Structure formats: C-alpha cells, structure tokens
C-alpha cells in the first residue's frame, strides 16, 4: 500500500482507576500507529479505548423499548448471564418505551481484538466478548463479536458470529482469501487446537445469525499475509510480541494484530485521536489613509484595537483570538494621524499579545455541576456562576443541614473564581426549608442548577429534594425518613421577576425570584413514573421549537415545552441516550447543548459520580426541523469526548457534567467539574473552566492544553500598518 502506516490494535493490562485504566477501560480495543522514521509505536486517544463492546438487551426487552440503544441497534436480545441478572426481573421502564441500564441491558467488555479488511475495503474487527470486567459471559463457547467501520472513527456492531461448536472460541482472527473469495476464520478452542471456518460473506453471516460449520486444522496457508500480519509468533518487523508485554509508549498491553493503513487513513486517525496543537499565527495587513485628521482619524485608529489574530493548528483548523495591543503605540499613532502628520508610504508597527486567559485550577472548590452564563442585565454584561454545593462529597445534605443554592455574579468570568473572591461574594438563592409552589419544604440537594433565558425571563432549572417518608414506595423501611432523600427529587424551575415595563430585577436578591415550581407532564403527572427522581434538566432550542432534556431512569430523556408555560411539557417524554458501554456504564446524565456549524452537540456525563466520570456526546442536525424526540435523529460517539487524563502536567480525574458557555470575547468555553482526589481520598467535585477548540473535521476538543491552544512562541504579535 503506497505510503502505508502500521496500525496496532490491542487491549491493556488493567491497572487502577487512578490511571483511568481499570477493567472497564483497559478491556476495549486500543489503537497505536508506528512511526516510519523511528519505528516507535504512538498510542492514539492517549492510550484510552476507542472501540468498546456494546451492552446487550436481555430477552423479553421489546423492540420499541430499545430505540435509544443505538450502539446495540443490530444486536439480538440474549438471556442474562452476568451475576444475578438471570433471575432479576425486567424493569417497569419497558412500559414507557425505555430501558433501565444494568437491568434491561447487560454491559460487556472484550479481549483479543483483531482488525482486518472486508472485501469491499472497509475495516472490520472481531474479538472475544466478555462480561463487564473480563469474566466469561458464555458467548465464547461458540461465537465471537463482529463490527465494521469505514474509517475506524465510528463502528456498526453486527453482533455475534456463531460457529458450530461448543468447545470454545478464543483469539479469533479473520482474513479474506482472494483466491477463493472467502473469509477464513481461525481460533483456538479450549484444548488449544486451531480451528477454522469459511464463509462467503461474514457480514451476512452475522446479520442472519448463520451457524458456520467448523473444523480443526493445522493448515496455516489459508492466511493471506499481504492483508494482515497475524502474531502466530513474535515478528521483528512489527516489534510487537505475541503475549502481554510492556511496549514503550503503550505500557503493558495484550497485542492483537497489525494491519497497514494508507496515509489518508492514518491522517484521519491522527486528527481524531492525536493531539492538536498551535503551529502558527497570522494577522491581516492594515492600511490607513493619510488624509484622515481629528476625530475621524482617532475613530479609525481606535478600531484597529479590535483587530484579532488567526491561530493555525496542526490539523488545519483555525481559531480567532483577541489581542491586547500596546496602548501607548496606538495612542501615538492616533495622535499623529489626528494632527495630519502621517505620510503616504509610511509604515508603522503595533505590538501586542494574544489574549489567553488561563483560569485558576480549581476554578471553584467543591462546586459541582457548574454553570457559567453570559447574561445581559438591562444593558449591562454580567456573568453568573451557579452550581451544586458538594462540600466534602456530600451533595444531598452538606454543611450539617445547611443546604443552599450558591450564586456568583460578576462583570468578568475571572472574578467568579475562588482565587479572585468569587466564593466570598456568593449569594444563597435558596436555603434548606424554603417552600416550593406546592408548599413543600425543600430540605436538600438543590442539584445541577442551570441558568437559561426562557420566555424572555432569566430562569434556573434545578432539582431540590425533600425529607423522606417512613417507607419507600415498595413498602420497605426508608433509611432517609425525616432526612433529605434524593429519590424524592424532581426537576423544578424558578424565574427572575421583572418590572411592569419588562426590565429584569436584580438576580442577586433572592426575593426577586418566583417560588420554585415542579415541571410536570402535559397531564400534570411526574416526569419519572418509574422511580420518581428526575434531575439535570437543560434547554434545547431548534427550528423555533423548545425542548427540555433531563436525566431519569439512568438515561437522558427529552420532551417539548412552551416557553410561555415552562412548568408543563407539551409532548410525551422519550428516552434518547442510554449508557451502552463500559465507559459510560449505568448512567447518562447532565445533558447540555450547543449549536455549531449546522449540528446540535449534546454532551452528557457517563459512569457514576466519582473518579470514573466521563463526558460523552450525541449530535443531531440543527435548523432542519428534525424531530429531536426521535432517538434515531441523534448520532452517538462510541468513546468519551472527555475523560480522566493529564491536563497541564497534572492528573484530572472524573471529568464531567459540563455546560457550554461563552467568554467575554465570544469564545466557546466548557465549564465542568472533576473529582477532588488527593492521596486516594475523594473529597467532592471542583469546578473548572476551559476554552473549546473545533477541529478541522468539526469535532469539539475539550482537553486542549494551554500550550497546545497557544504556543508561547507565537504569543507576541505585530500589526503592520501602511499609510496610503
């Protein structure tokens, strides 16, 4: 293959959650490219998994309840096999065309990944499917998983390829024999014997669940080594051993195999899974007329102060940034121009520095589910920060029962930070014991408050909880009786009052807000008829329609509403995001949307709160009147958009529950929390603020390092001005 690269697939040996490499992450397909110059292997996606096995729906889960299981769309249902799930009843969510993660679907992992090409040139992957964490799930007795991909950036999971054996299917490999026009499938059985099967169309075999005849063989000639390099033995040309070993740059891995990919395919993988960094800067050439004088000249020179710089990046993407220009040089130029002292052909240079605000880390200690909101307060630009109080990791009843909703207001985002006095200026919008519109005392939680303008009014969406009843709905004793009980919580809205002429009152005065009211279905019922609790509500606008998206039943739901009556839905709630992978296992929550280049990007948080938290994303067409309540409208990324990793030379674990916003210069920012984790002790969640970069292919980058965003060598710039 002209200009080809070597691509290795592998799993990692699990280490610890502290290194984002527990079994859930290690037991997925990783990818690494080999340098044609040094021969060294470079891990893609920071040595994190790229392809994960999808959760499998249990027998009895109807098709209309699986519509949000997009990764498992082509998988058949199977009997539960893991732990006690085989005897666990299916959930009540099925009655509402939904599934409950970990109950109606069973999470999986994989080992022994193997890459090959189909006859039509597409990529395919086979692997041994396992229970989550790597234990046997029984499927390896007679089958292996199959997925296909055009580019290794996204995958279609076709389910299991079934073989006529019960003697075990381990280390499956597949090649296409060009002489016979057949796919040759090889594996090891439980006794270590090499077995073989053949099929004209492996994709159809998986789709039709055909059982393929098998045989024991010692013939290795069926493998076309021009297509795939299999590791039957250590190969000096690849530098990868057959068994688990430590590889520089990859750590301790279990290698799969190596295939060749083209320059274009390698470039696409590097763009998506490599690091993107600043490679240059450019500024427009400026000209000013020599004939300008007085105020007209000063106005023109003043406009030069708004000249922005274009930053170039390694993938071909760009970003515009404001520049802090030398005020003295601009003033001298303005004086000369005003006095008519500029001569045609004269050149002037103004120096400046590209503006790059680096916010403190952490931005706000023990403030989780953070929201920063840029808001026009009767003509005054303000920034508001609101979050869940997560003091010492207790977000239900923190501070000895002094639960509250903290709000910060400033004219600059920087002044919202703890380091700049933001915490000292916090206002309690709500406190423990305040009543909602039903007259119920809100005693805990105040979870995930988000700021939005709804129906022209500044609004806060949040979840309060109430004291628990003596017994749970199933009749069992409630250990939260008489204390704040998270399971009593539901989505509420409170809105800022306005004067008769439509001017906003001061949001810093709690008395200026309406009494919080629960958000109900169109018939006046609770949002969540299965478990009561609903939380993490956000707003999506598209094509003149308004939607709420929120979390319940461990997944993200959506419904339309009228902004003039924001306490009632106008459509039935639909489940649109289900956690289907080991990395977002058990829960999908904290949705938040932004529109960019014709697509709605809806981020969500996966995995349980703590150091394993991750950020996933789904996207949908914007401005085309798409039905956002239809799960098929949304496209899900197979791997997390953001995960635990090194940021500016320090580990940040448990990143998630973020919100898109904008800074003073209009740059898109991402506000999120990470786990406060010191010497193995979890102490809650801290808020962080970063800028967002858009790659050349249009993907949001949430973890760009400070020196990747702006190379210090390019920070100082000059604006060249010619007088004409």
């Amino acid at each position: 293959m002209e200009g080809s690269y070597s691509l290795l697939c592998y799993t990692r040996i699990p280490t610890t959650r502290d290194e984002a490499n527990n079994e859930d992450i290690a037991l997925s397909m990783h990818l690494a490219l080999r340098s044609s110059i040094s021969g060294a292997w470079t891990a893609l996606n920071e040595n994190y998994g790229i392809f994960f096995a999808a959760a499998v729906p249990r027998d009895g889960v109807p098709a209309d309840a699986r519509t949000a299981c997009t990764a498992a769309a082509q998988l058949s249902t199977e009997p539960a096999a893991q732990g006690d799930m085989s005897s666990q009843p299916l959930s009540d969510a099925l009655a509402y065309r939904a599934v409950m993660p970990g109950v109606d679907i069973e999470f999986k992992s994989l080992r022994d990944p193997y890459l090959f090409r189909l006859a039509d040139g597409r990529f395919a992957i086979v692997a041994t499917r396992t229970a989550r964490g790597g234990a046997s799930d029984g499927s390896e007795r007679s089958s292996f998983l199959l997925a296909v991909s055009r580019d290794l950036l996204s995958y279609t999971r076709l389910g299991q390829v079934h073989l006529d054996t019960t003697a075990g299917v381990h280390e499956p490999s597949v090649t296409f024999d060009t002489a016979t026009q057949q796919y040759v499938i090889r594996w090891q059985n439980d006794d270590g014997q090499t077995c073989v099967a053949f099929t004209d169309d492996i994709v159809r075999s998986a789709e039709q669940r055909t059982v393929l005849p098998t045989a024991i063989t010692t013939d290795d000639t069926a493998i076309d080594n021009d297509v795939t390099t299999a590791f039957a033995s250590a190969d000096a040309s690849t530098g990868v051993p057959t068994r688990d070993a430590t590889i520089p740059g990859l750590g301790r891995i279990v290698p799969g195999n190596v295939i060749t990919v083209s320059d274009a395919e390698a470039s696409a993988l590097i763009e998506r899974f490599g690091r993107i960094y600043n490679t240059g800067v450019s500024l427009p050439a400026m000209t000013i007329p020599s004939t300008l004088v007085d105020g007209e000249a000063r106005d023109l020179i003043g406009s030069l102060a708004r000249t922005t710089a274009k930053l170039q990046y390694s993938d071909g993407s760009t970003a515009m940034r404001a520049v802090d220009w030398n005020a003295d040089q601009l003033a001298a130029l303005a004086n000369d121009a005003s006095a008519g002292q500029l001569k045609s052909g004269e050149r002037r240079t103004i120096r400046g520095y590209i503006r790059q605000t680096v916010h403190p880390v952490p931005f706000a200690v023990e403030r989780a589910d953070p929201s920063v909101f840029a808001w026009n307060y009767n003509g005054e630009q303000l920034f508001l920060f609101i979050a869940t109080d997560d003091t010492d990791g207790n977000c239900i009843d923190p501070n000895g029962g002094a639960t509250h909703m903290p709000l910060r207001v400033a004219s600059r985002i920087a002044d919202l930070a703890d380091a700049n006095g933001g915490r000292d200026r916090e206002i309690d919008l709500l406190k423990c014991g305040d009543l909602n519109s039903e007259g119920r005392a809100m005693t805990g939680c105040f979870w995930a408050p988000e700021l939005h303008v709804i129906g022209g009014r500044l609004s806060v969406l949040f979840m309060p909880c109430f004291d628990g009843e003596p017994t749970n709905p199933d009749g069992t004793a409630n250990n939260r009786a008489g204390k704040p009980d998270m399971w009593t919580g539901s989505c509420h809205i409170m809105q800022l009052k306005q004067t008769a002429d439509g001017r906003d009152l001061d949001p810093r005065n709690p008395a200026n807000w309406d009494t919080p009211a629960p958000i109900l279905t169109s018939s006046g019922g609770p949002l969540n008829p299965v478990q009561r609790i609903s939380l993490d509500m956000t707003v999506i606008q598209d094509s003149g329609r308004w939607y709420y998206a929120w979390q319940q039943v461990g997944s993200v739901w959506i419904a339309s509403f009228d902004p003039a009556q924001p306490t009632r839905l106008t459509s039935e709630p639909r489940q649109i995001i289900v956690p289907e992978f080991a990395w977002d296992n058990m829960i999908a929550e904290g949705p938040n949307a932004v529109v960019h280049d014709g697509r709605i990007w809806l981020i969500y948080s996966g995995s349980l709160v703590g150091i394993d938290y991750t950020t996933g994303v789904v996207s949908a067409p914007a401005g085309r009147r798409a039905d956002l309540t239809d799960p098929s409208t949304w496209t899900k990324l197979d791997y997390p958009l953001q995960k635990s990793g090194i940021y500016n030379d320090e580990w940040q674990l448990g990143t998630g529950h973020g919100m898109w916003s904008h800074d003073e210069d209009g740059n898109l920012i991402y506000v999120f929390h990470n786990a406060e984790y010191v010497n193995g002790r979890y102490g809650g969640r801290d808020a962080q603020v970063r800028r967002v970069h858009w790659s050349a292919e249009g993907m949001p980058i949430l973890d760009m390092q400070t020196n990747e965003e702006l190379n210090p060598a390019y920070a100082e710039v000059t604006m060249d001005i010619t007088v004409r």
Side-chain angles (χ1 to χ4, degrees), residues 3-20:
S4 61
Y5 283 74
S6 294
L7 179 70
L8 167 69
C9 71
Y10 60 99
T11 58
R12 294 180 67 186
I13 300 296
T15 52
T16 67
R17 300 167 62 209
D18 303 44
E19 298 173 331

Side-chain angles (χ1 to χ4, degrees), residues 33-34 150 240 401 435 475 481 582 653 690:
L33 282 169
R34 189 186 192 197
R150 293 193 176 277
V240 178
L435 304 181
L653 297 172
R690 294 183 194 162

Side-chain angles (χ1 to χ4, degrees), residues 292-369:
L292 290 180
V293 294
D294 300 330
E296 192 175 27
R298 291 190 180 278
D299 289 344
L300 178 61
I301 302 305
S303 70
L304 295 179
R306 297 189 291 274
T307 302
T308 56
K310 178 185 285 188
L311 303 182
Q312 290 94 26
Y313 291 86
S314 55
D315 67 332
S317 59
T318 61
M320 303 302 297
R321 289 290 183 268
V323 180
D324 294 317
W325 296 105
N326 187 296
D328 292 338
Q329 292 178 343
L330 280 172
L333 179 61
N335 290 336
D336 291 348
S338 177
Q341 296 178 356
L342 298 181
K343 306 299 181 184
S344 181
E346 185 179 353
R347 295 179 183 275
R348 293 288 184 96
T349 297
I350 307 295
R351 297 189 178 278
Y353 289 88
I354 294 174
R355 189 176 302 160
Q356 185 188 34
T357 303
V358 179
H359 294 288
V361 176
F363 186 83
V365 173
E366 296 178 338
R367 293 292 179 260
D369 316 323

Side-chain angles (χ1 to χ4, degrees), residues 12 39 41 102 104 152-153 184 218 222 243 250 293 322 335 347 349 382 393 420 427 455 459 497 550 623 657:
R12 294 180 67 186
W41 291 98
D104 304 316
L152 298 179
L153 306 180
V184 183
T218 58
R243 302 299 176 199
L250 309 184
V293 294
N335 290 336
R347 295 179 183 275
T349 297
L382 291 179
N420 297 322
I427 302 121
S459 307
K497 298 174 184 177
W550 70 96
H657 201 124

